[in-house]
Amino acid sequence: MRNESVAILDIRSGEVSFLLGAKGVNGTFAFGDSRSEKYDGYCLDGFFDVDSFRRAVVTVITAVRQNYGGVISEVCVGVPAPFISVMTKGHTISFPSKRKICAQDVEALYDSGFNELLASGQCIRRSEMYFTLGDNRKYFSAESLYGVSTTMLKGGLCYYFVSDYFHATVESVLKELGFSQIRYTPSILAQAHYLLPEKKREGYAFLLDVGFLTSSISVVYGNGIVREETFDFGSGKTIVALMQALGIDYSLAQEILSASNISGGNVSKDLRFVSEYSGETFSVLEINEVIKCSLDELCERVESFFEKYYKDKTSVFSLNPISITGEGIGEMRGSAEHISRRLNRLTEIVYPDLPYYDKPAFSSRIALLHSALSRPKNRSWIQRIFNSFGGRKK
């Protein structure tokens, strides 16, 4: 593709987006065309309507191709959390004598650890929580190891597997559209790397991605996902709650949610919301209570997650803020504050630090673009020889 741009297919629980982008100056991006299309979405059990998903993918890719003068043959697909399983493993390899660590040694550690997993399915990515060289000092990137002498290499490793169902569904439509190379990246991992600073990830960091129909909570350590869980909850469920409580249709409930803000204190019983389109009025106090009650379901799921897996570390984990992103959090203003009060934890909304794209709704697609542009290019034989002597992996 021209100008070393990459193509991104971002699959969310209510919308798919296709985006072209390239590296800009000073860590920015140069954006090409992009298109988004709503569809029936997915839940933990899979797509509600595969044909609806296929139509949306064809629509966005066809629209971008029509305005692009080149050939788009490769695409990076973001795999949503419900279709990813994460396996972690602590693994060690030893050497007969002291040697300088090189890129091939790190690859050997990953390969050896993978072979011991006895896992089935397609592994689309692997990353490290940390490495150690026997002195108990943690290294949070492979590059920091190269050239260091040791007789042992140990790592806390993460392997990411895509579900066969998702892979077959996506592969089918993209092959029909003529893509010869399809790369898959866990969306949450891409967001963790892009949205959370390295220093924050060197301790336990938490990322809550609130979508339209599903949400996921992830525990991040170093460059890896320690544990992840997805819930059937999103802003779409809150819209349904408003429809049922107020006896209104979908479009009016969506208008009310978009205009609401639950971050304030007490609301007067006399305060009314007036629809810009229908002229109908509703109690703001009642609206806020419905939204808060809906969010409480998400809070209970997150609280149960920490109670189930990290009961013994509650006092430590409660000090670390929960970073929240996703289109769902952007559609429910004041929700981060409510989640913070409900869970008694600090929260912060995270999003791309970019003009126009500085909204949580854009987090996944920009993170995927960053991930795709950060992938190492194919190395020449000179680079491979250089790396074998302890050089940096490109």
Side-chain angles (χ1 to χ4, degrees):
M1 295 170 62
R2 299 178 303 177
N3 301 325
E4 297 185 350
S5 57
V6 295
I8 303 298
L9 181 63
D10 182 28
I11 302 171
R12 302 292 293 177
S13 61
E15 183 179 76
V16 295
S17 301
F18 189 64
L19 168 71
L20 300 181
K23 288 183 178 180
V25 296
N26 298 325
T28 61
F29 304 105
F31 294 100
D33 199 5
S34 67
R35 288 290 189 277
S36 297
E37 183 78 9
K38 295 186 183 302
Y39 72 112
D40 287 351
Y42 57 76
C43 63
L44 296 183
D45 295 327
F47 293 105
F48 287 112
D49 185 339
V50 172
D51 289 336
S52 170
F53 168 70
R54 290 173 61 89
R55 285 193 298 269
V57 172
V58 171
T59 297
V60 295
I61 292 177
T62 301
V64 170
R65 276 179 164 168
Q66 288 174 345
N67 296 325
Y68 182 72
V71 177
I72 308 173
S73 59
E74 181 178 343
V75 60
C76 175
V77 179
V79 185
F83 305 106
I84 286 285
S85 60
V86 184
M87 297 188 71
T88 60
K89 181 173 179 57
H91 192 63
T92 305
I93 58 174
S94 301
F95 311 112
S97 60
K98 211 171 214 186
R99 60 186 291 176
K100 290 184 178 179
I101 292 295
C102 64
Q104 281 76 7
D105 297 322
V106 175
E107 294 295 317
L109 178 71
Y110 274 117
D111 292 342
S112 178
F114 180 78
N115 291 335
E116 288 195 2
L117 283 178
L118 300 176
S120 59
Q122 184 167 163
C123 182
I124 59 170
R125 191 70 177 265
R126 52 194 194 181
S127 66
E128 69 279 353
M129 291 179 277
Y130 62 86
F131 296 106
T132 63
L133 298 178
D135 56 1
N136 293 325
R137 177 186 171 187
K138 290 183 178 179
Y139 299 79
F140 290 97
S141 70
E143 285 78 4
S144 60
L145 300 173
Y146 299 149
V148 181
S149 296
T150 186
T151 58
M152 182 188 75
L153 174 60
K154 180 180 179 180
L157 311 176
C158 302
Y159 300 86
Y160 307 86
F161 295 83
V162 61
S163 77
D164 292 336
Y165 164 79
F166 179 88
H167 184 266
T169 302
V170 173
E171 199 88 358
S172 172
V173 64
L174 292 182
K175 290 292 186 184
E176 289 178 11
L177 288 168
F179 287 97
S180 57
Q181 294 187 47
I182 305 170
R183 300 180 182 275
Y184 295 89
T185 297
S187 291
I188 294 297
L189 181 66
Q191 290 186 73
H193 287 180
Y194 178 68
L195 298 172
L196 306 181
E198 289 183 11
K199 282 296 180 184
K200 178 175 288 188
R201 288 186 272 115
E202 289 179 5
Y204 285 100
F206 312 111
L207 181 61
L208 177 61
D209 182 6
V210 183
F212 182 69
L213 295 174
T214 66
S215 300
S216 61
I217 179 71
S218 305
V219 181
V220 185
Y221 191 84
N223 289 320
I225 303 293
V226 181
R227 193 177 294 277
E228 189 170 85
E229 193 165 300
T230 302
F231 320 113
D232 281 330
F233 176 88
S235 56
K237 191 159 189 177
T238 304
I239 291 175
V240 172
L242 288 168
M243 292 171 62
Q244 295 173 340
L246 304 178
I248 57 179
D249 63 18
Y250 181 90
S251 59
L252 182 52
Q254 193 173 38
E255 179 194 357
I256 290 174
L257 184 63
S258 298
S260 65
N261 190 333
I262 61 172
S263 61
N266 295 329
V267 176
S268 169
K269 293 182 179 179
D270 299 326
L271 187 62
R272 309 286 293 180
F273 167 84
V274 181
S275 171
E276 182 180 344
Y277 302 103
S278 69
E280 295 177 77
T281 68
F282 302 91
S283 164
V284 172
L285 178 62
E286 183 179 2
I287 289 170
N288 287 1
E289 287 304 311
V290 173
I291 296 173
K292 289 177 182 179
C293 185
S294 177
L295 279 169
D296 283 346
E297 181 182 338
L298 174 64
C299 293
E300 288 169 6
R301 298 288 189 89
V302 174
E303 198 167 40
S304 296
F305 170 83
F306 285 112
E307 180 71 15
K308 179 179 179 181
Y309 297 110
Y310 300 104
K311 184 176 182 179
D312 296 336
K313 296 183 178 180
T314 301
S315 59
V316 177
F317 278 14
S318 62
L319 300 176
N320 296 352
I322 299 177
S323 299
I324 311 178
T325 197
E327 64 274 20
I329 209 70
E331 292 176 358
M332 298 184 286
R333 285 181 294 175
S335 52
E337 291 90 336
H338 179 77
I339 293 171
S340 178
R341 291 192 295 267
R342 179 67 171 72
L343 296 178
N344 194 27
R345 292 172 180 268
L346 296 174
T347 62
E348 57 181 1
I349 297 179
V350 291
Y351 48 82
D353 185 18
L354 297 170
Y356 177 73
Y357 293 97
D358 56 345
K359 300 176 179 64
F362 294 113
S363 289
S364 58
R365 72 190 72 171
I366 300 302
L368 289 168
L369 178 61
H370 173 265
S371 176
L373 291 171
S374 302
R375 289 181 70 94
K377 296 181 176 63
N378 292 330
R379 292 170 288 156
S380 68
W381 66 272
I382 294 177
Q383 289 173 324
R384 288 195 294 269
I385 292 174
F386 175 68
N387 284 331
S388 68
F389 288 98
R392 294 175 66 85
K393 184 178 180 181
K394 300 297 183 182

